[in-house]
Amino acid sequence: MVTIRVARAEDLQGMQACNLQNLPENYTMRYYMFYLLSCPQLSYVAEDEGRIVGYILARMEEDVAEGDEPHGHVVSISVLRSYRRLGLAKKLMVLSQEAMASVYRASYVMLHVRKTNRAALGLYKDTLKFSVHDVEKGYYADGEDAYVMRRSLKDLTS
Amino acid sequence: MPPAVVPPARALPLKESALFKEVLHYYEDRQLKKGLKTADTILKKFPNHGETLCMKGLILTHMGRREEGLELVKQGVRLDLTSHICWHVFGLIQKGQKNYEEALKSYTQALRFDKENMNILRDAAHLQTQLRHYDALVETRHTLLRLRPQLRQNWIALAVAYHLNGNLVEAKNVLEQFERIVKNVPDYDIEMSEILLYHLRVLEELGEYSEALALLDANAKSRRIIDRTAIMEFRARFLSKLGNADAQQAWQGLIEQNPDCYDYYKGYLANRGVDLDAITDETRGIALQTLRDFSQQFKRAAAPQRIALSVATGDEFKSLIEPYLRARLEKGVPSLFTDLKALYRDASKRDAIESAAHALLDSFVHAPDAPCPSHLDPTTYIWTLYFLAQHHSHLGRHKRALELLDTALAHTPTLPELYMFRGRVLKRCGDPYGAARWVDQARLLDLQDRFLNARCGKYRLRAGLIEEAVDVFGLFTKKDAPSPAQDLEDMQSLLYLTEEADAQLRNGNFAMALKKYAAIQKVFDDFEDDQFDFHGYSVRKFTVNIYLNLLKWEDTLRSHPAYVHAAIEASRILVKVHDDPSLATKSASQSHLSEAEKKAKKKAKKAEKKVQEEAKKASGSSTNEDKGLDASPSKDDDPDGTKLLQAPEPLERAAKLLKPLSTLAKGNVEAWIAICDVAVRRKKYLQALQALNHAHSLDADHPELHIRIVDFKRRWSSLSEKPSETVTSVVSSSFSKLLPDEVSLEHFNSQYLQRHPSRGDAILAAAKVSRILGAPREEVESAVFGALNATVELTFETALAIDSFLSEIQSPREDEFRTACKQRFELSTLFEPRDKLPELRKSAIQKSIVDTNEEKDEIIS
């Protein structure tokens, strides 16, 4: 049975394994530790009988530019193919966003997505109410451009 | 305070003393060139000035000239053994090399000569935490607090030190004291919020729920604690523990916030006296009613409905399972079977599920040529077939599963899940080549999906197609990595490393297998090292709860199945090498690098050369680039693993690998067997016997244990000189419980066989023991042929093991056995005549689905 909850240290290996199976953008354990330990309230996992089947890895952006507001950053989000159609990505994202708003008073959340990733774009735009803010050319290691997407959290900030 | 009298060798005249201060400043600002130059100026006049030599060494290390730098530092220390600067520098270098034990020794020395140096104390604290020297940590943290009580961190760090050292009461006291004196806490201070959440945790661990609740409510009200979820979770738990009527509301609030969290339902129901893990007839009713209400309230949440399935029984279960199945089959949820699998422990639920699913399927049945009736959804039809295939395969009815899948595939040939599962069923039947082929077809349906790619790679590895697997993985690894294998290793893919290691092992390439198992070991070493920076970081950020969570995880890091498996398999290889050293040299001559590996080796060599040339250039022009203190990644000087295989003291290395398992994998019989095998060869008979006893208490009839008991007795009996009297008496008394003194080994063996006449693995074990005891080959052969009897439970894995054994004893009946197995395991391809292997391997790789379908017809006809 799938349960959704805040990520803990013992989930990190599972998150890493899930990421490696699903996405070409991977990280060493150091990074997972760093993101989790810097903003422990923002990362969530979907767990099925001890196995991590989905996760969202997020943090608050540290360097806030002049005139910019505090904002959250979704570093990585992924659900195993065998666990799709359960709405897990949406649930993980919403929980993380609520924490960004209530704990850190984030004004918005941002993420990067491949220009050609129609499935993800659909999820972010239509289901999760993100909009394209900018394009970052050559963002990905293989040279593909990224859409920088944003979603305001003003409706969640108490 | 530095010692009152400065030893003559350390004192510098005014000019050089000022220059030395400059060196320190340059180092701090990382102006490495200037620092180096200035240090050299001092050394011209005072070539034996230990402290300057150390600083120069430190700077050189930062510039990438690590070996030179280390030499100078060692020299400097020797020349000034009472200088805190020298020892501090030495400690820094050792810390950079991740040599924490030695670094702490250096830091401890440094502190002898400068007891109140904040930098040294802080670094020492981090090292003490890393090494789990919690007593010393408490002392260090006390000193730091005494020296700078104005720094918040020092208070919290001391509390944490007490906590780690097992003294929760003192931790609490420190926190209370801190909270009393802290001033000027700004509004909405996340650091203070985290400190209070830590305080709450301490109180919870102490069981002081009233106090905890009071602290919580006071600070939640004043908005000092700002993590709403944490507040609510703590609150619900405290209220429950105190039997407070508000608890129900608190759990309700949590469920409203996140209706997909199983723990919240567990807490809510526990608060109402219902233990979800131990439902009784009395509590069942309340549970189901509650879950019904929650399902109504939270229609999007799966949890209440699914939990209800675990709780309900009989007709109630039947009434719930039908709509549950239907809804998800209509939606096309791939994980439905995995979701329900846990319920199968209850045979009646399993049967109810089967009936419901088949009833649904029957409603879809129509003539194969006729179109699907309009009122039925073809999607639901496919997913129902898929679900039932998984169901039947799980229960061992693989042929049935394949039929269902083939029906689905004929209907919808574009769904990857169908191909993937068909592959999985073939894997379960012992046809790894067919399995790989089918999973490859799934992959070809969506080349953008890494999940399908990874599965394909894994299945190729299972089929022993290592190069082809790496090719497939390579479609998603970094293009600028030396090889796909290297990228996966760098990214710490335990899945890949484990599967490749196992594949190499099955192929008989011990060197490469050992190399990959060693890579897994290194990943865990890296995980352990990674925590180091957080000893400082988390204290500075006050995120203590997650930090403590991290340390706890690190403490049991090597309980992870990937480490346990790697340690056991690697130790087996090392034991084999110990028993037969020719294996190591044989492996060397046999080892050949595949084309891909040769290319990668060339590429890596080229890259290495480039790096070296650039380094030479760099050191020539001495840039200011700070390469830091971390040890540079070592180059791979053992690409085919032979060096590792031939390295000395295989048993000691094996023992080291297995050590964590005696505490972290206590329930694993294979681990104890592995520990015994190593111990007995190192002549540590007590350790070996202890391992046997552990294995025995876990599974007294385990076939491998049986073999080891006999082996132990033979080794012990053949000792010309018994070890000390104490050891002998312990062994004699303890071992007789495993194998009574008066029972002969032959008799012990036949008793074992008599107890397990229908277990294939027991038959093999008994045969192996017979062989050890000198039984003639023919006798041993007919013993294992007994495993083919219809009454014997024989898996294809055991059949393969028997086949290996027959090969080992050079039995002329091996082909006969394989033929018989081929008949028994109809769908398996593992017992085909050996000359068919190239064809089988080829069949596992397909270029396109079109080819596949054509070839499929050929194979069937």
mmCIF file of all heavy atoms in Angstrom, chain B residues 209-210 213 235-248 251 270-272:
data_model
loop_
_atom_site.group_PDB
_atom_site.id
_atom_site.type_symbol
_atom_site.label_atom_id
_atom_site.label_comp_id
_atom_site.label_asym_id
_atom_site.label_seq_id
_atom_site.Cartn_x
_atom_site.Cartn_y
_atom_site.Cartn_z
ATOM 1 N N TYR B 209 5.287 13.636 28.268
ATOM 2 C CA TYR B 209 4.299 14.135 27.316
ATOM 3 C C TYR B 209 3.583 15.401 27.778
ATOM 4 O O TYR B 209 3.282 16.281 26.961
ATOM 5 C CB TYR B 209 3.289 13.034 26.977
ATOM 6 C CG TYR B 209 3.953 11.787 26.433
ATOM 7 C CD1 TYR B 209 3.892 10.589 27.132
ATOM 8 C CD2 TYR B 209 4.678 11.816 25.241
ATOM 9 C CE1 TYR B 209 4.519 9.437 26.649
ATOM 10 C CE2 TYR B 209 5.311 10.683 24.764
ATOM 11 C CZ TYR B 209 5.234 9.502 25.465
ATOM 12 O OH TYR B 209 5.858 8.375 24.993
ATOM 13 N N SER B 210 3.307 15.511 29.057
ATOM 14 C CA SER B 210 2.607 16.719 29.531
ATOM 15 C C SER B 210 3.455 17.948 29.307
ATOM 16 O O SER B 210 2.985 18.964 28.782
ATOM 17 C CB SER B 210 2.305 16.639 31.034
ATOM 18 O OG SER B 210 1.537 15.531 31.299
ATOM 19 N N LEU B 213 3.624 18.742 25.675
ATOM 20 C CA LEU B 213 2.406 19.369 25.165
ATOM 21 C C LEU B 213 2.339 20.840 25.560
ATOM 22 O O LEU B 213 1.987 21.705 24.755
ATOM 23 C CB LEU B 213 1.186 18.620 25.701
ATOM 24 C CG LEU B 213 -0.158 19.016 25.095
ATOM 25 C CD1 LEU B 213 -0.145 18.772 23.579
ATOM 26 C CD2 LEU B 213 -1.278 18.231 25.745
ATOM 27 N N ARG B 235 1.664 17.075 18.188
ATOM 28 C CA ARG B 235 0.482 17.294 19.020
ATOM 29 C C ARG B 235 -0.407 16.050 19.074
ATOM 30 O O ARG B 235 -0.838 15.620 20.137
ATOM 31 C CB ARG B 235 -0.305 18.476 18.448
ATOM 32 C CG ARG B 235 -1.324 19.002 19.360
ATOM 33 C CD ARG B 235 -1.532 20.526 19.166
ATOM 34 N NE ARG B 235 -2.185 21.036 20.343
ATOM 35 C CZ ARG B 235 -3.492 20.929 20.572
ATOM 36 N NH1 ARG B 235 -4.248 20.365 19.665
ATOM 37 N NH2 ARG B 235 -4.013 21.368 21.694
ATOM 38 N N ALA B 236 -0.661 15.493 17.915
ATOM 39 C CA ALA B 236 -1.520 14.297 17.870
ATOM 40 C C ALA B 236 -0.915 13.172 18.709
ATOM 41 O O ALA B 236 -1.607 12.503 19.473
ATOM 42 C CB ALA B 236 -1.710 13.858 16.433
ATOM 43 N N ARG B 237 0.380 12.981 18.583
ATOM 44 C CA ARG B 237 1.015 11.901 19.343
ATOM 45 C C ARG B 237 0.962 12.155 20.843
ATOM 46 O O ARG B 237 0.659 11.253 21.625
ATOM 47 C CB ARG B 237 2.467 11.705 18.905
ATOM 48 C CG ARG B 237 2.625 11.104 17.523
ATOM 49 C CD ARG B 237 3.996 10.482 17.339
ATOM 50 N NE ARG B 237 5.078 11.440 17.484
ATOM 51 C CZ ARG B 237 5.576 12.158 16.479
ATOM 52 N NH1 ARG B 237 5.088 12.041 15.273
ATOM 53 N NH2 ARG B 237 6.585 12.985 16.697
ATOM 54 N N PHE B 238 1.250 13.396 21.244
ATOM 55 C CA PHE B 238 1.237 13.706 22.676
ATOM 56 C C PHE B 238 -0.166 13.524 23.247
ATOM 57 O O PHE B 238 -0.352 12.919 24.299
ATOM 58 C CB PHE B 238 1.699 15.140 22.939
ATOM 59 C CG PHE B 238 3.130 15.395 22.554
ATOM 60 C CD1 PHE B 238 3.554 16.682 22.265
ATOM 61 C CD2 PHE B 238 4.063 14.370 22.482
ATOM 62 C CE1 PHE B 238 4.879 16.941 21.908
ATOM 63 C CE2 PHE B 238 5.379 14.606 22.121
ATOM 64 C CZ PHE B 238 5.790 15.909 21.831
ATOM 65 N N LEU B 239 -1.146 14.069 22.535
ATOM 66 C CA LEU B 239 -2.520 13.980 23.045
ATOM 67 C C LEU B 239 -2.955 12.532 23.169
ATOM 68 O O LEU B 239 -3.607 12.156 24.137
ATOM 69 C CB LEU B 239 -3.468 14.741 22.118
ATOM 70 C CG LEU B 239 -3.333 16.266 22.155
ATOM 71 C CD1 LEU B 239 -4.142 16.891 21.013
ATOM 72 C CD2 LEU B 239 -3.792 16.830 23.490
ATOM 73 N N SER B 240 -2.570 11.711 22.205
ATOM 74 C CA SER B 240 -2.920 10.294 22.270
ATOM 75 C C SER B 240 -2.287 9.636 23.479
ATOM 76 O O SER B 240 -2.943 8.927 24.226
ATOM 77 C CB SER B 240 -2.443 9.565 21.016
ATOM 78 O OG SER B 240 -3.357 9.703 19.978
ATOM 79 N N LYS B 241 -0.993 9.908 23.662
ATOM 80 C CA LYS B 241 -0.278 9.279 24.765
ATOM 81 C C LYS B 241 -0.890 9.687 26.099
ATOM 82 O O LYS B 241 -0.896 8.930 27.057
ATOM 83 C CB LYS B 241 1.209 9.681 24.742
ATOM 84 C CG LYS B 241 2.001 8.969 23.650
ATOM 85 C CD LYS B 241 2.595 7.693 24.182
ATOM 86 C CE LYS B 241 3.044 6.683 23.158
ATOM 87 N NZ LYS B 241 3.877 7.187 22.072
ATOM 88 N N LEU B 242 -1.411 10.927 26.169
ATOM 89 C CA LEU B 242 -1.981 11.411 27.429
ATOM 90 C C LEU B 242 -3.450 11.046 27.567
ATOM 91 O O LEU B 242 -4.087 11.406 28.554
ATOM 92 C CB LEU B 242 -1.815 12.942 27.504
ATOM 93 C CG LEU B 242 -0.381 13.421 27.643
ATOM 94 C CD1 LEU B 242 -0.294 14.929 27.399
ATOM 95 C CD2 LEU B 242 0.167 13.093 29.027
ATOM 96 N N GLY B 243 -3.989 10.349 26.550
ATOM 97 C CA GLY B 243 -5.392 9.968 26.621
ATOM 98 C C GLY B 243 -6.308 11.177 26.604
ATOM 99 O O GLY B 243 -7.430 11.145 27.087
ATOM 100 N N ASN B 244 -5.829 12.231 25.993
ATOM 101 C CA ASN B 244 -6.587 13.483 25.952
ATOM 102 C C ASN B 244 -7.672 13.426 24.873
ATOM 103 O O ASN B 244 -7.432 12.965 23.764
ATOM 104 C CB ASN B 244 -5.581 14.602 25.650
ATOM 105 C CG ASN B 244 -6.199 15.977 25.755
ATOM 106 O OD1 ASN B 244 -7.267 16.238 25.212
ATOM 107 N ND2 ASN B 244 -5.502 16.869 26.436
ATOM 108 N N ALA B 245 -8.847 13.917 25.227
ATOM 109 C CA ALA B 245 -9.993 13.845 24.309
ATOM 110 C C ALA B 245 -9.763 14.596 23.008
ATOM 111 O O ALA B 245 -10.385 14.284 21.988
ATOM 112 C CB ALA B 245 -11.242 14.372 24.998
ATOM 113 N N ASP B 246 -8.884 15.575 23.025
ATOM 114 C CA ASP B 246 -8.631 16.357 21.802
ATOM 115 C C ASP B 246 -7.820 15.585 20.761
ATOM 116 O O ASP B 246 -7.641 16.046 19.640
ATOM 117 C CB ASP B 246 -7.853 17.641 22.142
ATOM 118 C CG ASP B 246 -8.731 18.632 22.890
ATOM 119 O OD1 ASP B 246 -9.972 18.519 22.783
ATOM 120 O OD2 ASP B 246 -8.167 19.508 23.582
ATOM 121 N N ALA B 247 -7.330 14.421 21.158
ATOM 122 C CA ALA B 247 -6.466 13.675 20.247
ATOM 123 C C ALA B 247 -7.158 13.347 18.931
ATOM 124 O O ALA B 247 -6.575 13.472 17.860
ATOM 125 C CB ALA B 247 -5.973 12.408 20.920
ATOM 126 N N GLN B 248 -8.399 12.936 19.024
ATOM 127 C CA GLN B 248 -9.112 12.538 17.807
ATOM 128 C C GLN B 248 -9.143 13.674 16.790
ATOM 129 O O GLN B 248 -8.870 13.471 15.616
ATOM 130 C CB GLN B 248 -10.535 12.111 18.157
ATOM 131 C CG GLN B 248 -11.241 11.507 16.974
ATOM 132 C CD GLN B 248 -12.516 10.798 17.393
ATOM 133 O OE1 GLN B 248 -12.553 10.100 18.411
ATOM 134 N NE2 GLN B 248 -13.568 10.980 16.608
ATOM 135 N N TRP B 251 -5.746 14.078 15.114
ATOM 136 C CA TRP B 251 -5.484 13.125 14.026
ATOM 137 C C TRP B 251 -6.341 13.458 12.801
ATOM 138 O O TRP B 251 -5.895 13.345 11.661
ATOM 139 C CB TRP B 251 -5.757 11.692 14.488
ATOM 140 C CG TRP B 251 -4.699 11.174 15.424
ATOM 141 C CD1 TRP B 251 -4.827 10.945 16.766
ATOM 142 C CD2 TRP B 251 -3.347 10.833 15.093
ATOM 143 N NE1 TRP B 251 -3.653 10.487 17.293
ATOM 144 C CE2 TRP B 251 -2.727 10.410 16.299
ATOM 145 C CE3 TRP B 251 -2.607 10.846 13.914
ATOM 146 C CZ2 TRP B 251 -1.398 9.996 16.343
ATOM 147 C CZ3 TRP B 251 -1.279 10.431 13.959
ATOM 148 C CH2 TRP B 251 -0.685 10.018 15.172
ATOM 149 N N ALA B 270 -5.694 4.026 16.319
ATOM 150 C CA ALA B 270 -5.090 3.607 17.583
ATOM 151 C C ALA B 270 -5.687 4.412 18.724
ATOM 152 O O ALA B 270 -5.953 3.895 19.815
ATOM 153 C CB ALA B 270 -3.577 3.797 17.530
ATOM 154 N N ASN B 271 -5.919 5.689 18.448
ATOM 155 C CA ASN B 271 -6.479 6.555 19.469
ATOM 156 C C ASN B 271 -7.896 6.114 19.869
ATOM 157 O O ASN B 271 -8.358 6.379 20.973
ATOM 158 C CB ASN B 271 -6.508 7.996 18.957
ATOM 159 C CG ASN B 271 -6.895 8.986 20.022
ATOM 160 O OD1 ASN B 271 -6.281 9.036 21.076
ATOM 161 N ND2 ASN B 271 -7.942 9.743 19.784
ATOM 162 N N ARG B 272 -8.545 5.433 18.939
ATOM 163 C CA ARG B 272 -9.889 4.933 19.262
ATOM 164 C C ARG B 272 -9.840 3.468 19.698
ATOM 165 O O ARG B 272 -10.837 2.775 19.674
ATOM 166 C CB ARG B 272 -10.788 5.080 18.032
ATOM 167 C CG ARG B 272 -11.023 6.543 17.696
ATOM 168 C CD ARG B 272 -12.133 6.698 16.696
ATOM 169 N NE ARG B 272 -13.395 6.200 17.235
ATOM 170 C CZ ARG B 272 -14.498 6.085 16.507
ATOM 171 N NH1 ARG B 272 -14.477 6.411 15.233
ATOM 172 N NH2 ARG B 272 -15.612 5.630 17.030
#
